[in-house]
């Protein structure tokens, strides 16, 4: 996510003005029968603390079970049991003793850079009926996008016969949604088995890498991995163009994740007065967070809390995060502008994409706290570092 993840962990990235990416998996778990929720983030993990608050914003602050942070730790013993992981499968291997001690029947793993809503209890019930060692949720994407995902092949009974991680020539657009339900003992056995066959680079590396490298292929070879299609909207927003496209989908009404009162998307919320639009301002197919003040024209864009768009400014097809200030007469198009950045008067940021299919090269990204001087010009694809002045 380029300059957007320099000051924060990716799960802390805002979405839909007042939410964060971490809200989606945590809200799914909070609405399920899952007893314990563990959150594991290594990169800039402290940036998640205001969003997690001990589990309270997601109703996971329980006396028994509930929310728990997992952090890398140093302890006596094997180097592969401690410190920073080198992939998500390696991360599970390092906490295998804690997984075993939990005595859980099922171990659920969800990514924190996806937009989705899921009735997890129904998926758990289907996993039990099939007696699956692993159930992985799938979605359909274009073949070009599948090159960046884990492609899943299954038979008519949804038994997975093959997984390919980021194949150069995908055989289909069926991909894993990074939502996995493991039978706990099967997971532990597969971790040990895959580790025994792996060839780690050094003694601190288990050699397991990510799920698609060794762990899932080992489980698939056992014949008890099943695919379960995810109903409703799903998108991996771990790349710049996907993040902007998801906001486009939100404005177009294609995202259904906020439409379920029985499993609401929870989060910390944002205090402040409602957005205000002046007599010269306009919001057209757009959203504005609390405390925003709009004197210019905003089209097909999502504004975070406290955004200010001055008179004569024009913002189109963009995402402006909290506290961004767009100066009078400025033009912003197809851009993502991080928190508290300032765009000077009469500046020009970005331009309409040449194609309806978004690419990272068509989008300007301005880092947190950056300042663009009056009259500055940024071409599509440019990046401005956090706190940079131009």
């Amino acid at each position: 996510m380029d300059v957007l993840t320099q000051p924060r962990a990716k799960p802390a990235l805002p979405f839909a003005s007042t939410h964060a990416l971490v809200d989606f998996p945590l809200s799914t778990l909070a609405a399920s029968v899952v007893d314990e929720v563990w959150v594991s983030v290594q990169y800039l993990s402290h940036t998640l603390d205001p969003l997690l608050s001990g589990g309270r914003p997601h109703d996971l602050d329980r006396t028994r079970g509930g929310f728990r942070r997992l952090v890398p730790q140093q302890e006596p013993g094997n180097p592969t049991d401690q410190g920073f992981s080198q992939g998500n499968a390696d991360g599970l291997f390092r906490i295998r003793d804690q997984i075993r001690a939990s005595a859980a029947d099922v171990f659920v793993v969800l990514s924190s850079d996806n937009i989705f809503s899921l009735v997890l209890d129904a998926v758990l019930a289907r996993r039990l009926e099939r007696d699956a060692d692993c159930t992985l949720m799938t979605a359909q994407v274009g073949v070009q996008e599948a090159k960046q995902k884990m492609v899943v092949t299954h038979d008519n009974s949804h038994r997975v016969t093959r997984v390919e991680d980021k194949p150069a020539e995908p055989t289909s657009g069926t991909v894993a949604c990074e939502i996995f339900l493991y039978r706990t003992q099967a997971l532990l056995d597969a971790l040990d088995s895959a580790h025994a066959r792996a060839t780690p680079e050094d003694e601190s590396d288990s050699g397991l890498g990510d799920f698609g490298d060794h762990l899932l292929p080992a489980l698939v070879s056992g014949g008890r991995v099943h695919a379960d299609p995810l109903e409703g909207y799903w998108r991996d927003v771990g790349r710049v163009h996907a993040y902007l496209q998801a906001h486009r989908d939100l404005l177009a009404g294609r995202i259904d994740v906020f439409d379920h009162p029985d499993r609401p998307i929870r989060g910390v919320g944002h205090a402040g007065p409602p957005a205000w639009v002046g007599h010269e301002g306009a919001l057209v197919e757009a959203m504005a967070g609390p405390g925003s003040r709009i004197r210019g024209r905003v089209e097909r864009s999502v504004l975070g809390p406290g955004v200010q768009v001055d008179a004569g400014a024009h913002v189109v097809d963009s995402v402006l995060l909290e506290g961004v200030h767009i100066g009078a007469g400025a033009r912003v198009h197809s851009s993502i502008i991080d928190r508290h950045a300032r765009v000077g008067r009469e500046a020009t940021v970005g331009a309409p994409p040449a194609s309806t299919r978004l690419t990272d090269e068509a989008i300007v990204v301005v880092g947190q706290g950056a300042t663009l001087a009056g009259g500055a010009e940024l071409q599509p694809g440019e990046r401005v570092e956090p706190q940079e002045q131009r």
Side-chain angles (χ1 to χ4, degrees), residues 169-389:
E169 298 293 335
T171 54
S172 78
T174 302
V175 300
C177 295
E178 301 183 38
I179 301 172
F180 306 93
L181 291 78
Y182 296 101
R183 184 168 64 85
T184 302
Q185 190 56 53
L187 170 62
L188 294 169
D189 292 344
L191 287 170
D192 288 336
S193 175
H195 174 57
R197 297 194 303 272
T199 54
E201 295 183 359
D202 57 62
E203 64 176 6
S204 66
D205 179 8
S206 70
L208 293 181
D210 288 327
F211 292 150
D213 295 333
H214 301 286
L215 177 61
L216 279 173
L219 286 165
V220 167
S221 67
R224 297 176 66 180
V225 176
H226 284 77
D228 200 336
L230 179 65
E231 297 180 358
Y233 184 88
W234 173 82
R235 184 178 289 276
D236 178 347
V237 295
R239 300 179 69 187
V240 167
H241 73 272
Y243 181 74
L244 181 54
Q245 182 60 58
H247 283 90
R248 282 182 170 185
D249 293 343
L250 176 69
L251 294 171
R254 292 192 285 267
I255 293 184
D256 59 358
V257 299
F258 299 106
D259 299 343
H260 310 289
D262 57 327
R263 53 181 196 279
I265 304 301
R266 306 175 188 275
V268 296
H270 290 267
W276 175 88
V277 181
H279 72 278
E280 296 180 353
L283 285 173
V284 182
E285 298 180 5
M287 296 180 178
S292 293
R293 298 181 67 82
I294 315 302
R295 293 182 174 87
R297 184 176 179 84
V298 178
E299 299 180 48
R300 305 191 312 277
S301 298
V302 176
L303 313 186
V307 169
Q308 182 171 326
V309 179
D310 288 348
H314 194 184
V315 177
V316 183
D317 190 27
S318 296
V319 178
L320 313 184
L321 302 186
E322 181 178 2
V324 167
H325 185 179
I326 307 298
R331 298 290 184 266
V332 177
H333 206 302
S334 301
S335 299
I336 302 170
I337 303 183
D338 207 344
R339 288 174 172 162
H340 304 298
R342 298 179 66 86
V343 175
R345 298 169 62 93
E346 305 296 335
T348 301
V349 180
S355 169
T356 56
R357 181 175 176 271
L358 274 177
T359 64
D360 288 356
E361 293 72 24
I363 302 168
V364 174
V365 184
V366 178
Q368 182 171 287
T371 300
L372 304 181
E377 295 186 9
L378 294 183
Q379 299 302 314
E382 286 200 60
R383 303 291 185 261
V384 180
E385 297 292 314
Q387 310 302 324
E388 183 179 349
Q389 298 186 19

Side-chain angles (χ1 to χ4, degrees), residues 35-37 54-56 59-68:
D35 294 324
E36 297 188 35
V37 176
R56 179 185 51 77
D59 286 346
L60 293 170
D61 52 338
R62 304 167 187 162
T63 302
R64 296 183 179 181
F67 171 83
R68 175 189 171 198

Side-chain angles (χ1 to χ4, degrees), residues 83-122:
F84 291 97
S85 64
Q86 302 178 47
N88 44 31
D90 179 51
L92 293 185
F93 183 81
R94 291 170 188 268
I95 62 168
R96 65 193 184 282
D97 290 339
Q98 298 180 57
I99 296 173
R100 184 177 292 108
S102 72
D105 296 323
V106 181
F107 194 79
V108 182
V109 179
L110 300 92
S111 173
S112 290
D113 57 3
N114 297 331
I115 305 301
F116 70 97
S117 180
L118 173 67
V119 183
L120 186 58
D121 291 355

